[in-house]
Amino acid sequence: MRAPILCCLLLLGCLLAPLTRAAEYRFDPVHSALVFFVDHDGYSDAVGRLKIARGWFRFDEKNWAASKVVADIALGSVDMDDKGWDRVVAGTDFLDAKARPYAHFVSTSVEKTGLDTGILYGQLTLRGHTEGLAFPFRFNKRAFTIYGLHTVAGFTGIATLDRKLWGMDAFDSVVGVKVKVLLEIEGIEDGGAERDYQRAVAVSKPGDAR
């Protein structure tokens, strides 16, 4: 009778262990989104979306300051729900995706500001230029899911960026300079996430400069 109980306790311990320590995560592309909003001549906010091509993060629920985020955003993936606008936004006036296919973000620190809120500080390299930014975010949930049998951590962040800081000066009379960015992020725990990212970067084509 004791053996089945012991087995159950051991299994429970294995399932709960990932929830009590810092861990590495890979971005879940299905449940992660970078959405941006930019004023269209005062009429409305145009809405676009970009994909996170690769990256990883480390999250320590008990010590947020030990967390880390690295991500590459595929600029050619821009989706404005219109092919013409996609070409304009991906072009040289804005994202310049052909010359530098990725925007690169690396965190420098994480500050906990509340029970489930914080600020992610980091450096964003875009169009060959790097600027610091602060991204307020909310930690939504970290749990083991039976859908895939892995641990998932979820976050929501929102910030406003000045596109001119990265040299995007075009059409400032009709296209908003301030760009609101919404992040909905889910990460799947993966002890090899950082290693796999470094391998992917190492085999990137020379033309894939950030």
Side-chain angles (χ1 to χ4, degrees):
M1 185 69 179
R2 290 181 178 179
I5 295 176
L6 181 59
C7 290
C8 289
L9 289 175
L10 289 173
L11 177 60
L12 181 61
C14 291
L15 296 179
L16 293 180
L19 308 181
T20 59
R21 59 180 174 80
E24 287 182 12
Y25 297 81
R26 56 184 168 84
F27 291 101
D28 179 353
V30 176
H31 298 107
S32 297
L34 188 161
V35 183
F36 61 89
F37 306 80
V38 59
D39 177 68
H40 173 228
D41 200 18
Y43 294 108
S44 66
D45 278 356
V47 181
R49 181 169 177 160
L50 288 161
K51 294 181 179 179
I52 299 175
R54 58 196 182 193
W56 65 279
F57 65 89
R58 181 185 301 113
F59 181 63
D60 187 337
E61 193 170 352
K62 294 185 177 180
N63 180 18
W64 288 26
S67 301
K68 182 78 173 180
V69 180
V70 178
D72 290 339
I73 297 96
L75 301 178
S77 70
V78 63
D79 183 2
M80 304 288 295
D81 201 27
D82 180 271
K83 296 300 183 183
W85 268 111
D86 293 348
R87 288 191 293 271
V88 171
V89 176
T92 56
D93 286 326
F94 294 105
L95 298 178
D96 201 13
K98 186 175 182 179
R100 295 181 175 86
Y102 298 110
H104 177 68
F105 176 83
V106 57
S107 66
T108 53
S109 63
V110 177
E111 175 188 0
K112 188 173 184 180
T113 59
L115 183 63
D116 58 0
T117 59
I119 301 176
L120 176 68
Y121 297 95
Q123 299 284 322
L124 176 65
T125 301
L126 174 62
R127 293 169 54 96
H129 180 71
T130 302
E131 286 283 345
L133 57 81
F135 227 103
F137 70 93
R138 183 181 69 248
F139 167 48
N140 297 323
K141 184 179 179 180
R142 183 183 188 220
F144 183 84
T145 173
I146 61 172
Y147 302 103
L149 298 178
H150 47 227
T151 298
V152 177
F155 307 83
T156 298
I158 190 165
T160 300
L161 282 58
D162 183 338
R163 63 180 173 92
K164 286 192 173 184
L165 292 177
W166 287 272
M168 291 179 279
D169 302 320
F171 309 113
D172 61 357
S173 62
V174 292
V175 177
V177 171
K178 303 295 184 181
V179 180
K180 184 168 66 175
V181 178
L182 169 68
L183 288 174
E184 292 289 352
I185 299 296
E186 287 190 24
I188 298 172
E189 185 177 346
D190 182 347
E194 180 181 9
R195 177 202 62 211
D196 292 345
Y197 171 79
Q198 296 295 346
R199 288 177 176 173
V201 171
V203 300
S204 295
K205 298 178 182 178
D208 287 350
R210 295 166 186 155

